[in-house]
Amino acid sequence: MVGVSHDYLREVPGSEAIKKRIENLSGEQFEVFIADLFKPFEALGWKVWLTQGSSDFGGDIVFANPDGYRHVFQCKLRSDTEKEEGIAAVQQVVAAKAIYKAKKAIVITTAESYSASARKLAEANDVELWALRQIGLLYTASINRDEALLADMGLAVPKREKKFEDEEIEIEEEVKIPALPSFPRPTRTEQSAQLTLAHAPEPAFLDEEKKPKRRVRPLVWIAMAVVSILLIAFFSGRPSPPKGILTSKLPSDAELLHFVKLHDQAWVKAQSSNSPELLKPFRTGTAYEGAAKNIRAQAERGCFFSISINKEPQVFVLNRSFEQIEVHFQKDWTIYEVCKNRTAWKLGLNGPFRVQYTMRPTSEGWKISEAREVRDSSATQQ
C-alpha cells in the first residue's frame, strides 16, 4: 500500500506542486497515485481498476463511467532529465484500447512535452496526451468529486438529471476543502483480478442480514455424497474442451457465428500482443501455422497490429457436412500496423470484406483448417 498525502487545496496545483507530491514515487506507485485520484468517483457510480503489472497489454488503469464507457490510461513517470515522452507510450495505449474494449485512450506523463512522432501517432489514433497540467486538474476534480471538470478534461461523463436549482453559497475564508481521504489499497494482483480482457464483472456482495440456516438431514448428505462420487467416476479422464471450441457434431449457424466471434477476439489479442498461441483453440494445420508465422515475423520487426472490429460478423454457409464445413463470414475491421520509431500504417485489409473458412472436426472439436480472404472471386490466405 502506498501512502499518498493530499493537502488541502483551493486552486489547481501547478506543475512544481505536482512534482513535489510524486518526487519520491516509483513507476508503479505513480500508477497507484493516479488510480487513487479516480477512487472518489466510485461513490458516483464510476469504477477504476489497476491492470496486471507484468502483462498489462499497454494499459495501466481502466476508468469506466456509470454507463460503461471505458477510458484506458498508460502512465509514465519520468525523471527531471527526461524532458520528452516518446512514441512507445502511444503505441502501448493504442493496443490497450482494443484489448480492454475502451472507447478512449489517454497517455499520462510527467515529462514536459511529447515528441513529434508521438503527437502524430496520437492524432492518427485519437489518443489524448496528458502532462503535469492535466494531473493538477485531475487532482482538483478528485478532491471536489467534480464530474464537470472531468468533462472539461475530455472524459465521458454520464448525463444526470438536475434535481436542485443552483444556489450561491458563501464560504468563509477559514473553511477549507476536505482533503482526499486515504483509501486502503489492494495489491496490484488482487485488484487486477477484478478485470478480465473481455468484461469487468460486477462485484459480488453478501446480504447484510444473515439468513437462517436450514437443517439438512443425514440421509440427504449421504445421497449427495453418493451422487458426487458417481459424477466424478463418470467424468474422470474426460477433460473439458478449450474455451470456444465447437463440440456439436454438426453446428448451427448461430453456433458458427458465436465461434467466429470468439475467434476474432482471440485474433485481435494475438496480433496486438504477438502471441500466436491464443489461436490454438480455434485453428489447426496450415490455418494456424500460417498465422503464427506472420505474427512471429512482425514481432521480429518490432511491430504489432492494432485492430478495431467495427461491426459484428455475418455468416453465409456454403457447405455443411460431418466431414467438412465451408462458410463465408462478412467482416468489417480497421487495421493499423504499429512499429517502433515509425508512424502507424493503415493496412489494405479493412472492411467490409469476406473470409472463407474451411472447418474440419478434430479430437477437440471443430477447428479452422484453412482461412482465405475472398475478394472479387479471388482468394488470398488470411
Side-chain angles (χ1 to χ4, degrees):
M1 181 176 124
V2 179
V4 180
S5 175
H6 300 280
D7 300 334
Y8 296 102
L9 290 178
R10 299 189 67 86
E11 297 179 354
V12 176
S15 299
E16 294 303 320
I18 292 297
K19 285 183 178 180
K20 184 177 180 181
R21 285 174 172 83
I22 63 177
E23 61 184 357
N24 295 321
L25 300 183
S26 65
E28 184 169 332
Q29 290 172 333
F30 176 64
E31 296 167 12
V32 176
F33 173 84
I34 297 297
D36 251 339
L37 298 182
F38 291 127
K39 189 72 176 177
F41 292 97
E42 290 186 338
L44 302 179
W46 294 69
K47 295 180 182 178
V48 57
W49 298 272
L50 279 167
T51 62
Q52 188 173 351
S54 58
S55 55
D56 57 17
F57 296 99
D60 296 321
I61 299 171
V62 178
F63 187 45
N65 73 13
D67 297 331
Y69 187 108
R70 290 186 182 181
H71 313 75
V72 63
F73 292 84
Q74 169 61 234
C75 302
K76 295 294 185 183
L77 179 66
R78 300 303 185 189
S79 64
D80 293 338
T81 59
E82 297 174 291
K83 303 295 185 182
E84 192 175 73
E85 187 64 52
I87 194 174
V90 181
Q91 293 173 338
Q92 292 167 4
V93 83
V94 167
K97 183 179 180 182
I99 291 293
Y100 294 105
K101 306 297 181 184
K103 294 184 179 180
K104 184 179 287 292
I106 300 169
V107 178
I108 302 179
T109 184
T110 59
E112 294 180 359
S113 63
Y114 288 83
S115 66
S117 59
R119 292 194 301 271
K120 188 172 183 180
L121 181 59
E123 182 180 359
N125 291 275
D126 195 24
V127 174
E128 294 193 12
L129 304 178
W130 287 12
L132 291 170
R133 176 180 174 275
Q134 284 79 10
I135 298 176
L137 290 171
L138 178 60
Y139 197 105
T140 302
S142 176
I143 289 178
N144 296 281
R145 204 173 286 165
D146 188 349
E147 286 186 329
L149 184 51
L150 291 184
D152 292 341
M153 296 171 67
L155 301 188
V157 174
K159 295 181 179 179
R160 302 184 186 274
E161 295 183 2
K162 192 173 183 181
K163 297 183 179 180
F164 303 101
E165 294 294 333
D166 292 334
E167 298 179 0
E168 294 185 1
I169 301 176
E170 295 183 0
I171 301 178
E172 299 178 4
E173 293 185 0
E174 63 270 23
V175 177
K176 297 180 179 179
I177 298 174
L180 185 67
S182 176
F183 295 96
R185 302 297 298 166
T187 63
R188 174 179 283 274
T189 302
E190 290 171 347
Q191 196 174 44
S192 62
Q194 300 176 23
L195 180 66
T196 63
L197 297 182
H199 178 61
E202 296 286 340
F205 296 99
L206 297 176
D207 294 336
E208 294 181 1
E209 298 181 0
K210 294 184 178 179
K211 297 182 179 180
K213 296 182 179 179
R214 295 182 179 179
R215 297 180 63 183
V216 181
R217 296 180 179 179
L219 289 178
V220 177
W221 285 109
I222 295 173
M224 292 173 62
V226 171
V227 172
S228 300
I229 293 172
L230 292 175
L231 289 175
I232 293 173
F234 179 75
F235 287 104
S236 60
R238 299 176 62 183
S240 301
K243 182 181 179 182
I245 288 297
L246 285 173
T247 55
S248 174
K249 292 184 178 180
L250 199 58
S252 64
D253 289 5
E255 290 174 320
L256 288 171
L257 183 60
H258 180 67
F259 173 82
V260 168
K261 286 181 180 179
L262 295 176
H263 165 270
D264 289 351
Q265 292 175 8
W267 180 272
V268 170
K269 297 174 187 176
Q271 294 288 351
S272 62
S273 62
N274 289 333
S275 303
E277 296 78 12
L278 297 175
L279 297 175
K280 282 187 176 180
F282 304 92
R283 292 189 171 216
T284 187
T286 58
Y288 173 75
E289 294 170 1
K293 181 179 179 181
N294 292 337
I295 291 174
R296 294 189 186 102
Q298 75 185 24
E300 292 177 358
R301 299 198 314 270
C303 302
F304 65 90
F305 286 161
S306 174
I307 303 174
S308 297
I309 300 178
N310 303 323
K311 293 182 180 178
E312 296 289 342
Q314 295 179 316
V315 59
F316 304 92
V317 178
L318 304 180
N319 176 39
R320 180 162 33 204
S321 67
F322 288 101
E323 293 79 23
Q324 177 176 297
I325 298 176
E326 292 181 341
V327 59
H328 278 191
F329 285 94
Q330 181 84 12
K331 303 187 181 185
D332 190 348
W333 291 3
T334 302
I335 308 176
Y336 285 90
E337 184 181 42
V338 182
C339 300
K340 188 177 181 181
N341 298 326
R342 198 185 76 181
T343 304
W345 292 89
K346 188 174 183 181
L347 301 186
L349 181 61
N350 289 285
F353 62 93
R354 282 196 178 192
V355 176
Q356 177 177 326
Y357 292 143
T358 301
M359 305 175 64
R360 293 187 175 89
T362 69
S363 59
E364 296 178 333
W366 290 87
K367 288 190 178 184
I368 299 171
S369 58
E370 295 180 17
R372 295 180 179 276
E373 179 202 354
V374 178
R375 283 192 176 181
D376 300 329
S377 302
S378 62
T380 56
Q381 187 171 4
Q382 187 190 24

